[in-house]
Amino acid sequence: MTLTKNKYYFEALDNYPYSLPECLEALNYALSYDPEDSDSLCLMGRIYSEMLSDYEKAKLYFEEAMLYDVNNLNTPQYYIKCLLDNEDYQEAEKLIEYSLKIKGIDKSNLWFYRSLLSEKRGSFNNALKFLDEAAKYCFNEHSLNVVKDRKKFIKSKMPKKNKIKKKKEIS
């Protein structure tokens, strides 16, 4: 039965996000074989979050996935993104803190999300500090470039000190 469930889960994953009808059909089959499969529940949460922007429904799937496997490496990362998109900042912060303790999880991604959380709260200096932490856990060039680009973007949003001083001198 596990092989059949895995077959349908991988088929759903293969079709996501390009062919949602086929993805959903395979995912429903996977969940019918094992309604407690955290990976399948996580993918269903992603569909509701990323494709349908139904964050409340997505949160239910992510919570259920976490209930069945609290050490799943995929679920927390997608769940955090859903929480950030839904502006559930306190929940996101708690989940990030918890997830950083999960062995084998992508800590660079979690610190990146922590930075995004600070940025959304308007704390650009903290966002930059968390990006420095994310950079420590980057183990390929692509992820390091993403962090560097985000740093540049945040710095561009910060008020310039020289411009502020000049305006004060003119007044």
Side-chain angles (χ1 to χ4, degrees), residues 63-171:
E63 287 169 9
E64 195 173 349
M66 295 280 296
L67 177 70
Y68 294 125
D69 186 359
V70 294
N71 292 317
N72 185 298
L73 299 179
N74 295 318
T75 305
Q77 297 180 68
Y78 295 113
Y79 191 9
I80 291 166
K81 179 72 169 91
C82 173
L83 292 171
L84 290 173
D85 290 343
N86 199 43
E87 299 178 5
D88 294 324
Y89 298 145
Q90 287 182 325
E91 289 178 59
E93 187 172 15
K94 288 178 186 176
L95 185 54
I96 291 168
E97 288 175 22
Y98 168 78
S99 299
L100 283 168
K101 298 172 188 166
I102 298 174
K103 187 176 179 178
I105 201 161
D106 183 357
K107 288 182 176 46
S108 174
N109 202 19
L110 294 175
W111 284 110
F112 186 88
Y113 283 141
R114 184 61 183 91
S115 170
L116 187 60
L117 174 60
S118 290
E119 183 183 350
K120 286 183 176 232
R121 288 179 168 167
S123 180
F124 298 126
N125 288 328
N126 280 342
L128 291 172
K129 288 178 190 175
F130 292 130
L131 284 175
D132 288 336
E133 199 64 32
K136 291 179 188 176
Y137 294 98
C138 291
F139 297 109
N140 63 54
E141 188 176 351
H142 174 71
S143 61
L144 187 58
N145 287 336
V146 169
V147 169
K148 287 179 181 178
D149 289 344
R150 193 70 193 181
K151 278 177 143 178
K152 287 178 192 173
F153 177 71
I154 292 172
K155 287 178 182 178
S156 74
K157 290 171 55 173
M158 296 174 77
K160 304 290 183 216
K161 292 178 184 177
N162 292 338
K163 289 182 182 179
I164 294 171
K165 287 181 183 178
K166 286 182 183 178
K167 286 181 181 177
K168 286 182 181 178
E169 290 173 6
I170 294 172
S171 300

